[in-house]
Amino acid sequence: MTYDLITMGRIGVDLYPLQTGVPLPQVTSFGKFLGGSASNVAVAAARLGRRTAVITRTGDDPFGTYLHEALQGFGVDDRWVTPVPGLPTPVTFCEVFPPDDFPLYFYRQPKAPDLEIDAHELDLDAVRDARVFWVTGTGLSEEPSRTATLAALAHRARSGTTVFDLDWRPMFWSDPDAARPFYTEALRHTTVAVGNLDEVEVATGVREPHAAARALLDAGVELAVVKQGPKGVLAVNSAGESAEVPPLPVNVLNGLGAGDAFGGSLVHGLLAGWDLEKTMRHANAAGAIVASRLECSSAMPTPAEIETAVTAGAVQ
């Protein structure tokens, strides 16, 4: 079976407060959702009709069972989601203070199972044959996941579309300088790089969006996507084409997960052969829709919802 998309990286359980504007000590009720950026991107692309799978690991516990059930429910192949005895499935809490304050609290101790992905256990033929392969910066933060991520990229050898989600999470690294050599190595095997301003600065040492995009292209990618927050998104490819698309107006409820919805829609647009501007407009709309909702994975939009937002020029 050939997949439209295989992602590799984080998975966990998101426990989000069902009350907005309330600090965690005072929250009395939570919703439980599948989380983790790589897993959410697979869900987002599946919601758009793509055949997807995720490579990751969970604890051998009830939360791990829940994540298998959730992936299956979203139509994501979970055959490469395996348990790690002795390590608990990660849990992530957030606080919800719209429109722009959503603190995250990761519980990934003593170590997250998704950092125990081993190169010797990878189905490298499936990785090579996928139309799109998606990896994240978090996967480079510790061994054996780091070696597994780089081995998968090297085996794929830039066949098809290979996306590196820069996914900088400072709590997973000692400092940015420790991350940069591994980011540089991953970029050598990558055709598309995606990141916000903080992430592209970690990867390239450059923060100005156009200069950062050029630095990513110089590092070897064919398409650089720089998310600029309130200024929208900039996309530049190696053919010299560019698109700079403003964000869609939206009443933000929870900004977490918007980037993963953007990623799933980006994959969909690349597979569909859309031009840069259409791809970015639809990806922006997907992200805005999820920002208007509380949850992440179960909030991923359908093609009709994205088209409605693009046509309206706003999320209703």
Side-chain angles (χ1 to χ4, degrees), residues 11-37:
I11 196 169
V13 176
D14 287 345
L15 294 174
Y16 286 177
L18 300 181
Q19 301 144 283
T20 61
V22 178
L24 273 182
Q26 281 75 56
V27 172
T28 58
S29 57
F30 295 85
K32 177 170 101 281
F33 309 101
L34 178 145
S37 60

Side-chain angles (χ1 to χ4, degrees), residues 5 15 24 26 54 108 120 126 133 166 174 188 193 212 222 224 264 270 275 279 300 304:
L5 169 68
L15 294 174
L24 273 182
Q26 281 75 56
V54 60
R108 291 167 60 86
H120 298 96
F133 181 53
L166 302 178
S174 58
R188 290 181 53 242
E222 298 169 8
L270 293 172
D275 63 38
T279 300
M300 296 302 174

Side-chain angles (χ1 to χ4, degrees), residues 71-93:
L71 287 170
Q72 294 165 10
F74 290 129
V76 177
D77 195 322
D78 64 341
R79 69 182 62 195
W80 297 303
V81 181
T82 58
V84 180
L87 290 179
T89 298
V91 174
T92 302
F93 288 89

Side-chain angles (χ1 to χ4, degrees), residues 52-176:
T52 72
V54 60
I55 301 169
T56 190
R57 306 197 72 181
T58 70
D60 189 9
D61 55 25
F63 275 149
T65 301
Y66 161 70
L67 293 174
H68 278 279
E69 293 173 351
L71 287 170
Q72 294 165 10
F74 290 129
V76 177
D77 195 322
D78 64 341
R79 69 182 62 195
W80 297 303
V81 181
T82 58
V84 180
L87 290 179
T89 298
V91 174
T92 302
F93 288 89
C94 79
E95 293 176 297
V96 181
F97 298 107
D100 58 3
D101 187 18
F102 309 101
L104 276 171
Y105 303 91
F106 291 97
Y107 290 80
R108 291 167 60 86
Q109 289 82 27
K111 186 179 184 181
D114 55 60
L115 293 174
E116 285 291 314
I117 299 171
D118 193 290
H120 298 96
E121 298 173 357
L122 295 175
D123 186 339
L124 291 174
D125 288 340
V127 167
R128 184 195 59 232
D129 293 342
R131 297 178 69 193
V132 179
F133 181 53
W134 179 290
V135 301
T136 73
T138 296
L140 299 172
S141 64
E142 287 194 42
E143 295 289 5
S145 172
R146 176 185 300 149
T147 293
T149 301
L150 294 175
L153 289 171
H155 184 82
R156 186 168 168 83
R158 297 169 61 91
S159 58
T161 299
T162 304
V163 183
F164 181 21
D165 175 3
L166 302 178
D167 185 41
W168 167 250
R169 302 283 180 173
M171 67 285 295
F172 300 156
W173 295 86
S174 58
D175 62 69

